[in-house]
Amino acid sequence: MQDDNQQDDWSLETLAIRAGHQRTFEQEHSEPIFPTSSFVYESAAEAARKFGGKEPGNVYSRFTNPTVHTFERRLAALEGGERCVATSSGMAAILSTALALLSAGDEIVASRSLFGSTVSLFDKYLGKFGITTRYVELSNQQAWEAAITPKTRLLFAETPSNPLSEVADIKALAALARKHDALLAIDNCFLTPVLQQPLALGADLVIHSATKYLDGQGRAIGGAVVGRHDLLEEVFGVVRTCGPCMSPFNAWIFTKGLETLSLRMKAHCENALTLARWLDQHPAVSKVHYSGLETHPQHALAKQQQKGFGAVLGFEVINGQEGAWQVIDATRLLSITGNLGDVKTTITHPATTTHGRLSDVQKEAAGIAPGLIRVAVGLESQQDLQRDLARGLDALAAG
């Protein structure tokens, strides 16, 4: 087999296209798909060696599949990690990490500004097994430190946050985690390694919902964890035993998606910043949450640790939920859906969709206001996006 990844000095754009592919004897140019559940051996002795871990090779596609390995190697290269473990979804990536690295009695300190399902996972399911989670304001370093106890084993944050675009100081959180002998995991699915590399800033683990920008076209569900080999070996053990694995077909889709990741993320950022500035001037909009705006409280920090501001923004409209629904229902181009990371722009009302399972108290603490709308800006014409949103916003402003 020939390995395309022969150079350690490739740029990120080249790694996204070339890294991780080991050509078979067929000498294929594009990465192949191996849709097989099992693998055949030349002898009983070879099978025994591979099943026993004495010889590298494929055993069973739940935990050894060449197509999945290609995706894992490529994403690890992009994030600057020693290893990647792919999972069936982003939530499976978080669950596998928790099962691998935490035990009953351990504690997590996490940002309040987390995806609703992540909060449910931490509170309802990990809590059932004796793992406690304390929530703090994402950008308040003192609050993070005050929440840490001798039982804290993991700090967990999404940065920028969903949907308020809050930003955490990753270097400071990493130093805090080391000080207290804990691990820092950063959910990087909003920015991807093109715009932010948490491992280089000191994080121990990077979590991805590959469903989002790594694919980029809303075609498949998947997740990934990237980090040091010793930590990932534990995560791999969970995937191998419990089975939240990525399918070969989905891995192939994500691998192909990575090829255009750099181009897409730059275009997403340009489109989002233009739209955020336009929304900021509209009379029906009371506030825009986007770290690319100079008025954002963490704008300077975002410029320092990110190469772009991402494509997800939130904005609050007048008249609360009624006004938000009026704007959403007036759209004809934007897709009303809770997903994001797509070339197609999506719009949703977080308080009743992505964060709908949170209590009113939790929503208020996380800044999920009734009039908040989230837009994940795609790659359509900016003129068309503004015209579509103006239909509802202009009517709202006119009363």
Side-chain angles (χ1 to χ4, degrees), residues 1 6 44 88 110 116 210 240 250 259 296 307 309 329 333 338 341 369:
M1 301 176 75
Q6 297 292 325
S88 58
R240 173 174 181 155
N250 285 7
E259 293 180 349
H296 189 280
K307 296 180 181 178
F309 303 105
D329 290 348
L333 172 66

Side-chain angles (χ1 to χ4, degrees), residues 24-264:
T24 72
F25 63 90
E26 299 288 356
Q27 289 296 293
E28 72 281 346
H29 189 218
S30 182
E31 298 82 359
I33 307 175
F34 289 88
T36 180
S37 58
S38 60
F39 302 86
V40 177
Y41 310 103
E42 294 293 334
S43 67
E46 181 191 0
R49 291 194 300 272
K50 289 183 176 176
F51 269 76
K54 297 179 180 179
E55 180 179 311
N58 300 308
V59 175
Y60 189 58
S61 277
R62 187 177 71 243
F63 55 96
T64 51
N65 180 276
T67 312
V68 177
H69 286 335
T70 297
F71 167 69
E72 291 173 333
R73 288 191 294 264
R74 186 166 297 181
L75 184 57
L78 292 177
E79 285 285 7
E82 294 178 358
R83 186 175 179 183
C84 169
V85 172
T87 61
S88 58
S89 69
M91 291 308 304
I94 299 173
L95 174 62
S96 298
T97 299
L99 291 177
L101 303 175
L102 300 175
S103 301
D106 289 346
E107 294 181 356
I108 302 169
V109 178
S111 161
R112 287 197 188 98
S113 306
L114 293 181
F115 178 45
S117 292
T118 306
V119 175
S120 295
L121 170 63
F122 286 172
D123 290 349
K124 185 176 181 180
Y125 296 104
L126 296 186
K128 183 188 299 186
F129 298 102
I131 298 171
T132 302
T133 303
R134 304 174 189 273
Y135 296 97
V136 298
E137 183 181 347
L138 177 66
S139 58
N140 187 335
Q141 187 74 12
Q142 290 73 31
W144 282 92
E145 182 149 26
I148 294 174
T149 76
K151 295 181 180 180
T152 302
R153 295 290 177 266
L154 179 68
L155 308 187
F156 189 96
E158 296 175 16
T159 180
S161 69
N162 174 19
L164 301 183
S165 197
E166 298 169 291
V167 179
D169 188 331
I170 297 176
K171 282 187 177 180
L173 285 182
L176 186 61
R178 287 193 299 271
K179 175 182 175 182
H180 293 278
D181 197 24
L183 298 172
L184 173 63
I186 297 293
D187 187 324
N188 198 34
C189 78
F190 272 32
L191 292 184
T192 81
V194 171
L195 303 179
Q196 178 174 267
Q197 293 181 314
L199 298 180
L201 296 171
D204 299 288
L205 296 161
V206 174
I207 307 288
H208 276 286
S209 172
T211 313
K212 310 302 190 292
Y213 294 102
L214 301 190
D215 171 18
Q217 296 185 51
R219 299 168 293 188
I221 303 291
V225 188
V226 185
R228 300 197 313 267
H229 181 81
D230 61 326
L231 298 177
L232 270 294
E233 182 63 22
E234 296 299 316
V235 178
F236 172 72
V238 172
V239 173
R240 173 174 181 155
T241 303
C242 302
C245 55
M246 181 179 287
S247 76
F249 183 71
N250 285 7
W252 181 81
I253 287 177
F254 296 135
T255 300
K256 302 310 289 182
L258 290 177
E259 293 180 349
T260 59
L261 182 61
S262 182
L263 292 172
R264 285 188 285 106

Side-chain angles (χ1 to χ4, degrees), residues 271-279 313 375 377 382 385-386 389:
N271 234 10
L273 181 57
T274 301
L275 187 65
R277 286 173 172 162
W278 176 79
L279 286 167
L313 58 87
V375 172
V377 185
Q382 184 66 214
L385 295 178
Q386 292 180 14
L389 284 167

Side-chain angles (χ1 to χ4, degrees), residues 264-286:
R264 285 188 285 106
M265 293 311 297
K266 291 173 183 176
H268 277 298
C269 289
E270 292 174 6
N271 234 10
L273 181 57
T274 301
L275 187 65
R277 286 173 172 162
W278 176 79
L279 286 167
D280 201 37
Q281 301 301 314
H282 199 284
V285 177
S286 58

